[in-house]
Amino acid sequence: MEGGSVPRVFTIPSSAPFLPTLARALLDGVLVEGFAPRSDPMALAGATVFLPTRRAGRLFAEALLEAAGGTALLLPRIVPLGDVDEDALAFSEDAPVLAAPHAIAPVHRRLVLARLVAHWRDTLAKAVEREAVAAGTAATFALADALGSLFDDLTTAGLSVDRLDGLVPDELDRYFRIGLDFVRIARRAFSAYLAQAGLVEPAARRDALVDAEARRLSALGPGAGPVIAAGSTGSMPATARLLKAISRLPRGAVVLPGLDDALDEASFARLADARDGAPDHPQFGLARLLATLEMTRADVVPLARPAAFGREVLMSEALRQAETSDLWASLGARLPADALARAMEAVSVVEADDPRAEALAIALVLRDSLERPGETAALVTPDRDLARRVAAEMARFGVALDDSAGTPLAESAAGRLARLLVAAAAEACAPVPLFALLSHPLAHFGLPPGAKAEAVAALELVALRGPRPRAGIAGLQDAITAFDRDGLRGSDPRRRVDAPRLDQARDLATRLDRALGPLLAFGSARGAQPLADLVCAHHAAFEAAAGPLRSTAEEPAEAALARTFETLAAAAADGPALTLSAYADAVGALFSDAMVRPVAEPHARIRILGPLEARLVHVDRVVLGSLVERSWPQVSETDPWLSRPMRAELGLDLPERRIGLSAHDFAQSFGAPQVVLTYAAKVGGAQSVPSRFVQRLKTVAGEAAWAAAQARGARFLDGARRADAGPPVPRAARPAPAPPLALRPRRLSVTEVETFLRDPYSIYARHVLGLAVLDPLDAAPGGAERGSALHEAIGRFTSAFPQELPPDALPLLLAEGRRAFAPLAAFPAEHALWWARFERAAAFLVAFERERRPGLARVVAEAGGAHDIALSGGPFRLTGRADRIEVARDGSLAILDYKTGTAPSAKQAATLAPQLPLEAAMARRGAFAGVPAADVSDLLYVELKGAAAGGEVKPVRVKGSTTQDLAEAALDGLTGLLEAFEDERQGYRSLAAPQWQGRFGDYDHLARVREWALAGEESE
């Protein structure tokens, strides 16, 4: 044996608390013979303990103090293995490995590899005259990250680039041969770059540090202090070599986590077999480590007995290899019924409907632990969304929890603002991304909160709602300059923007220009820009929007963002040139390495942990959350560069290795005294698949034990349902508000009468409550804009030629159309479609005009008028604007209305859509300016949809009634209705006579229509 010593390797079963057991064994002299520092607190300082993570190191220090009974101790040197700390590793000062070259920063490596990938993709596309590789910035950085991971795997396995030359994948897809050629070139090019820059790959630096420590430890003499490595599975070869060196030290010891001694010897021996190995098994890493240590499972000494509820055998059986699952037929011999009952006795299963119900049930589990004196609990889940949901639900109970796994920088408040800034610039200040930016709480642009809110509200109304303004800050400024408050109707919400508020909007646009101007300049420039310039402008924009970044412990997100900008700026010269749009797409990838850790102290008894953070952590109750496929275990990403056979030929880990690590985490956490398994039946709106670990456990536990576990979990689901249950609320009734007469409207337009008849509540909301409908942000033009443009063009043309048509009528009408449709040119697709329709409609209209004009004295376009109706409560004014009134040579009138959609039928016009009959009644009474009082002989709808025929004329005629009859009947009906509303008891009923079932109006949410109409109060 190396060092002349018998290896000392121990294990702690999963049902025993790992760190407290380790602390007691160290203090009592069990780990290192002749070293029992319990009676000599000073002696402990001479020991070195390697643990997987920094968290485990902090918890081990606490465990030592507790095991010592509160006696003062000099702690041993505690070194994290998983996060190699060059200061913590005990190298001598002149150790050459600590000198340069240092590791290249992850973001620096990503940029260099992305540049290589982009160049290769572009070259390949030129060679084959098409995109042979997925294009786009996101795909480029994804391939660069995969290439970096492959380089890490090659370095960790100790493989040189020459090994790639030995692969001959003739039987594989051509893409893998092309990809392999690039990997060879990229590996050599990247190695040359690192050598020139005086850097090495992170994996090479890590392995060099660990190997140097292994050599140093191997050279220690018999008098050196004890060295213990605990909790590691030796998944990396360098770590396994270090563990081997420690196990052979005269005063060394290795402690393995949860070595399975229940699995039959034949099955365990197959785990690390070169041909039949099972990388997806939880014991695969430990089996391979024992082979490296040149030991058998029988040589490993347990430091503790499994707990009385010990679930080691249950887990061993549930997670055994698929090839040996036939042994479940004899399960009773290895796991008697009483042992199975004890193992499952404290296991609960929560099967929630969705992630929200799952989160609330978990919160109730954690709260239940708080109500038990001294009990500790933890949620362990790889699903960060679930972790955030649980933290939010715990806040309902007054318990503040942070996800110890941290938040990705891109998802933090500062990271989101950084992404919003570049997104708004990349889209040239389009309303939606710009409004999102302005709504961010950190984006104050140098304004106090109140002033900023007022300025944003003004800018929103003036420039962001409705059709999109011209691109860039100039478009915003033009919209502000063109704003005409006096030209708006009285109910228009934009009338709230007075001169002072308009000045605030103008000032905000100026501040936006200062912040985003440098970035916007890159957007207007053609072609890709140097990455360094983009990063510099991005950094400056952030500080112009939110102030200087604070690199303090109290602001971890801003500190992380400052470090990221600094690293990016230093490495940008080696990255690819990008357009502003591509840079905006890449920001998420560029920020992906940084995590923001919570600064608050963790809760004394309740924690939220990721599987990595949960390793070696002992609590009384563990909740394993989001136990569905793609979460437990997480998806194994396929290597885009090397196929499975190629990886296997090189001896690299297959993707299933990640499943094995996840299975080990699951098995270790399952050793807690109380375990709650939770999963949602639906995730993301789709049916989920319970984790394979859960399905195997259910099979081995049996129906009775599983049903009992579900029954124990049901109380938390019931509690979750009751937590959101309130007192019964009566179903909303159809509203019919009856305001005082003084508040009721005393005027309506003829176009509002149909609304008054069909949905009086809308009239109440619009005229009594004074609620005006806001246009959506960045609203694409719809039928209303198309109709307005068409009416404007026809109105101007008709006004220019009220009597005789000119010979060139069609070109003149088209010219008016171009003028009216010009504002819609900002929407090319809509403009192209609608202009083609207008051209056909214009041709139809000119032919229609030439047919009708000979019998007319003149035509009046856009004629406005008003008529007062005498009511018991005073006069009521009916207003209207007729699209076209024709004055015939015999003095009679015809009224026409242009429709770009479907016109009402004659029956509808005579009942619920009486616009034209009411206009006829007004015309008979001389209500329209410039039109003498006369009988109306014709009412016509002219549909101008722009289809193949261009248009269609639809007269309003009802059998047995003249036009005068229709007009007077409509006016009498309206008068009667208005008189009914002179009674304060008459309410404005919602949807009195709706035209369409299931179609909702602008005010239906206010009337809570979906509550009473869809619930079946009345069939609409």
Side-chain angles (χ1 to χ4, degrees):
M1 295 289 182
E2 294 181 17
S5 299
V6 177
R8 296 177 60 82
V9 180
F10 304 87
T11 186
I12 297 175
S14 61
S15 61
F18 190 93
L19 294 177
T21 302
L22 178 67
R24 290 192 297 270
L26 177 60
L27 292 174
D28 294 337
V30 177
L31 286 179
V32 179
E33 187 174 356
F35 181 77
R38 184 180 292 277
S39 58
D40 184 7
M42 304 292 288
L44 194 59
T48 299
V49 180
F50 290 91
L51 291 167
T53 63
R54 294 176 184 271
R55 173 185 293 274
R58 291 193 297 270
L59 294 176
F60 181 60
E62 296 173 7
L64 280 172
L65 293 173
E66 183 177 352
T71 304
L73 293 174
L74 286 180
L75 293 174
R77 181 191 296 270
I78 300 175
V79 182
L81 274 176
D83 184 12
V84 177
D85 187 330
E86 299 183 17
D87 295 327
L89 285 174
F91 300 121
S92 59
E93 290 297 328
D94 58 348
V97 73
L98 285 178
H102 290 286
I104 186 173
V107 69
H108 190 173
R109 181 175 73 164
R110 178 179 290 116
L111 292 176
V112 175
L113 294 181
R115 189 172 186 174
L116 287 173
V117 170
H119 181 70
W120 168 65
R121 185 195 62 217
D122 295 343
T123 303
L124 194 61
K126 292 177 183 177
V128 299
E129 297 183 350
R130 63 182 177 87
E131 292 287 354
V133 180
T137 309
T140 298
F141 279 94
L143 287 172
D145 287 342
L147 186 62
S149 297
L150 175 59
F151 288 176
D152 284 342
D153 291 344
L154 293 172
T155 301
T156 299
L159 300 176
S160 69
V161 69
D162 296 334
R163 282 293 306 275
L164 297 174
D165 296 333
L167 294 177
V168 187
D170 292 334
E171 71 282 4
L172 300 177
D173 185 88
R174 173 173 172 267
Y175 169 78
F176 282 109
R177 296 197 297 274
I178 296 173
L180 182 59
D181 289 340
F182 171 69
V183 170
R184 294 189 188 103
I185 296 170
R187 180 69 167 167
R188 292 186 171 98
F190 187 57
S191 298
Y193 170 82
L194 292 176
Q196 183 180 1
L199 298 169
V200 294
E201 292 190 73
R205 176 69 172 174
R206 177 202 64 212
D207 289 354
L209 290 170
V210 175
D211 285 338
E213 179 69 351
R215 290 193 298 272
R216 187 190 72 82
L217 292 175
S218 298
L220 292 177
V227 180
I228 297 99
S232 174
T233 60
S235 56
M236 293 183 296
T239 306
R241 292 192 294 270
L242 175 62
L243 296 181
K244 182 176 182 180
I246 292 174
S247 71
R248 281 157 170 72
L249 293 176
R251 306 183 77 189
V254 172
V255 184
L256 305 179
L259 179 65
D260 184 359
D261 61 358
L263 188 64
D264 61 280
E265 192 59 42
S267 297
F268 191 86
R270 293 181 61 178
L271 289 177
D273 187 273
R275 293 175 302 171
D276 299 328
D280 59 345
H281 192 275
Q283 294 289 307
F284 173 78
L286 291 175
R288 194 165 61 173
L289 176 61
L290 288 178
T292 301
L293 298 179
E294 301 175 27
M295 299 181 66
T296 66
R297 192 169 42 157
D299 298 326
V300 180
V301 179
L303 286 177
R305 295 174 58 85
F309 61 84
R311 305 187 186 97
E312 284 79 5
V313 178
L314 175 61
M315 273 290 96
S316 176
E317 291 294 336
L319 300 181
R320 68 164 53 248
Q321 307 100 299
E323 295 81 2
T324 64
S325 58
D326 60 300
L327 294 176
W328 284 345
S330 58
L331 179 63
R334 299 182 300 279
L335 185 61
D338 58 338
L340 175 60
R342 286 196 304 272
M344 291 294 294
E345 185 177 10
V347 176
S348 303
V349 176
V350 173
E351 299 178 4
D353 293 332
D354 52 49
R356 184 185 179 280
E358 181 185 8
L360 182 52
I362 292 172
L364 291 175
V365 174
L366 300 179
R367 183 188 179 191
D368 181 62
S369 291
L370 283 178
E371 293 176 353
R372 303 181 184 187
E375 183 169 290
T376 57
L379 164 64
V380 180
T381 178
D383 186 345
R384 299 338 311 152
D385 287 338
L386 178 65
R388 285 190 287 269
R389 285 178 183 269
V390 172
E393 295 291 353
M394 290 299 292
R396 295 173 59 176
F397 308 133
V399 179
L401 290 182
D402 286 311
D403 183 359
S404 66
T407 302
L409 174 60
E411 298 300 325
S412 68
R416 285 196 300 270
L417 176 56
R419 289 190 293 127
L420 287 171
L421 281 162
V422 73
E427 295 192 42
C429 293
V432 172
L434 181 61
F435 187 71
L437 168 62
L438 293 173
S439 301
H440 196 285
L442 294 182
H444 54 73
F445 295 97
L447 292 170
K452 179 214 167 182
E454 292 179 357
V456 170
L459 185 65
E460 173 191 352
L461 289 173
V462 170
L464 303 185
R465 291 197 173 271
R468 178 185 297 194
R470 190 161 58 89
I473 302 297
L476 299 178
Q477 293 169 335
D478 289 347
I480 295 170
T481 302
F483 179 70
D484 179 15
R485 181 172 181 266
D486 296 333
L488 301 172
R489 292 181 300 174
S491 62
D492 196 309
R494 290 174 292 175
R495 286 186 59 83
R496 291 178 294 194
V497 182
D498 54 16
R501 285 184 171 83
L502 195 62
D503 289 338
Q504 288 180 305
R506 187 176 290 108
D507 174 64
L508 180 58
T510 302
R511 294 171 183 270
L512 280 169
D513 191 23
R514 285 199 294 266
L516 298 179
L519 278 173
L520 288 169
F522 292 124
S524 60
R526 292 186 176 181
Q529 304 298 311
L531 182 59
D533 294 346
L534 290 167
V535 171
C536 180
H538 191 188
H539 190 179
F542 185 96
E543 298 200 330
L549 284 166
R550 294 164 291 181
S551 299
T552 61
E554 291 74 22
E555 299 292 341
E558 292 192 28
L561 183 59
R563 291 192 298 270
T564 300
F565 273 133
E566 182 180 349
T567 305
L568 282 173
D574 295 318
L578 298 172
T579 62
L580 179 59
S581 177
Y583 177 70
D585 292 340
V587 164
L590 296 176
F591 287 1
S592 62
D593 288 320
M595 295 292 292
V596 181
R597 308 289 179 182
V599 295
E601 288 294 322
H603 193 281
R605 294 167 53 198
I606 306 294
R607 295 176 181 176
I608 299 178
L609 305 169
L612 177 63
E613 290 77 25
R615 292 174 184 173
L616 310 189
V617 175
H618 175 77
V619 291
D620 299 313
R621 175 185 270 173
V622 163
V623 182
L624 296 174
S626 192
L627 284 167
V628 295
E629 289 293 303
R630 305 181 69 86
S631 184
W632 282 94
Q634 291 183 307
V635 179
S636 298
E637 299 293 340
T638 302
D639 188 346
W641 299 108
L642 299 182
S643 66
R644 288 177 61 89
M646 294 161 71
R647 291 185 66 90
E649 186 174 343
L650 289 171
L652 299 178
D653 280 339
L654 297 176
E656 288 79 4
R657 179 70 184 104
R658 180 177 296 179
I659 298 176
L661 295 173
S662 183
H664 188 263
D665 290 333
F666 178 82
Q668 286 295 102
S669 295
F670 201 72
Q674 301 175 61
V675 177
V676 181
L677 310 177
T678 75
Y679 58 91
K682 284 191 174 182
V683 177
Q687 193 72 30
S688 66
V689 177
S691 167
R692 65 194 69 185
F693 308 147
V694 172
Q695 296 186 59
R696 283 170 156 265
L697 179 62
K698 179 180 179 180
T699 301
V700 171
E703 291 184 5
W706 193 257
Q710 289 177 313
R712 287 187 288 272
R715 70 185 183 98
F716 298 112
L717 283 175
D718 293 339
R721 296 187 187 100
R722 291 196 303 270
D724 283 339
V729 178
R731 183 165 54 84
R734 182 194 297 261
L741 291 180
L743 298 179
R744 300 189 180 204
R746 305 305 299 178
R747 64 183 292 158
L748 286 175
S749 69
V750 291
T751 55
E752 290 180 298
V753 171
E754 181 177 358
T755 303
F756 190 27
L757 292 168
R758 293 189 182 278
D759 186 18
Y761 187 90
S762 290
I763 299 298
Y764 164 79
R766 185 183 303 156
H767 291 284
V768 178
L769 299 182
L771 299 175
V773 178
L774 283 174
D775 288 332
L777 290 170
D778 197 8
E785 286 75 19
R786 176 193 171 199
S788 296
L790 183 141
H791 279 76
E792 179 185 343
I794 296 175
R796 281 203 296 258
F797 174 80
T798 305
S799 298
F801 306 101
Q803 295 175 328
E804 299 292 336
L805 280 184
D808 55 346
L810 181 57
L812 291 173
L813 178 56
L814 290 174
E816 292 292 353
R818 291 187 189 93
R819 179 180 168 190
F821 277 80
L824 303 178
F827 304 89
E830 290 87 349
H831 184 274
L833 175 65
W834 292 353
W835 179 251
R837 291 183 178 182
F838 179 78
E839 287 181 316
R840 292 190 290 269
F844 167 84
L845 191 63
V846 168
F848 172 75
E849 285 271 29
R850 294 198 185 281
E851 181 183 338
R852 291 187 66 85
R853 285 293 180 109
L856 303 179
R858 60 191 175 94
V859 176
V860 180
E862 300 295 328
H867 170 64
D868 290 335
I869 302 174
L871 301 176
S872 60
F876 188 99
R877 174 154 290 194
L878 179 66
T879 65
R881 180 171 293 275
D883 288 348
R884 174 186 175 114
I885 299 179
E886 298 177 345
V887 182
R889 296 189 185 279
D890 62 3
S892 64
L893 305 177
I895 301 178
L896 286 72
D897 191 68
Y898 301 119
K899 295 291 185 185
T900 54
T902 301
S905 66
K907 182 179 178 180
Q908 289 171 332
T911 53
L912 293 172
Q915 176 188 348
L916 281 184
L918 287 174
E919 289 179 352
M922 293 173 64
R924 293 188 71 201
R925 289 160 174 78
F928 289 103
V931 180
D935 285 340
V936 178
S937 60
D938 241 344
L939 299 176
L940 302 175
Y941 282 113
V942 182
E943 286 186 354
L944 297 174
K945 297 180 179 179
E952 183 180 358
V953 179
K954 292 188 173 181
V956 177
R957 292 173 186 150
V958 176
K959 187 176 181 180
S961 299
T962 65
T963 303
Q964 276 63 244
D965 293 339
L966 291 177
E968 295 308 313
L971 185 60
D972 290 344
L974 176 61
T975 303
L977 179 63
L978 292 172
E979 188 61 51
F981 276 84
E982 294 294 290
D983 184 351
E984 286 194 350
R985 293 172 297 178
Q986 177 63 51
Y988 290 81
R989 195 163 179 255
S990 175
L991 295 183
Q995 183 174 7
W996 306 108
Q997 181 177 354
R999 184 179 299 178
F1000 296 93
D1002 294 328
Y1003 301 99
D1004 288 353
H1005 61 293
L1006 188 64
R1008 298 166 68 177
V1009 168
R1010 289 183 184 271
E1011 294 184 49
W1012 55 262
L1014 299 186
E1017 178 190 302
E1018 296 181 23
S1019 175
E1020 298 302 337

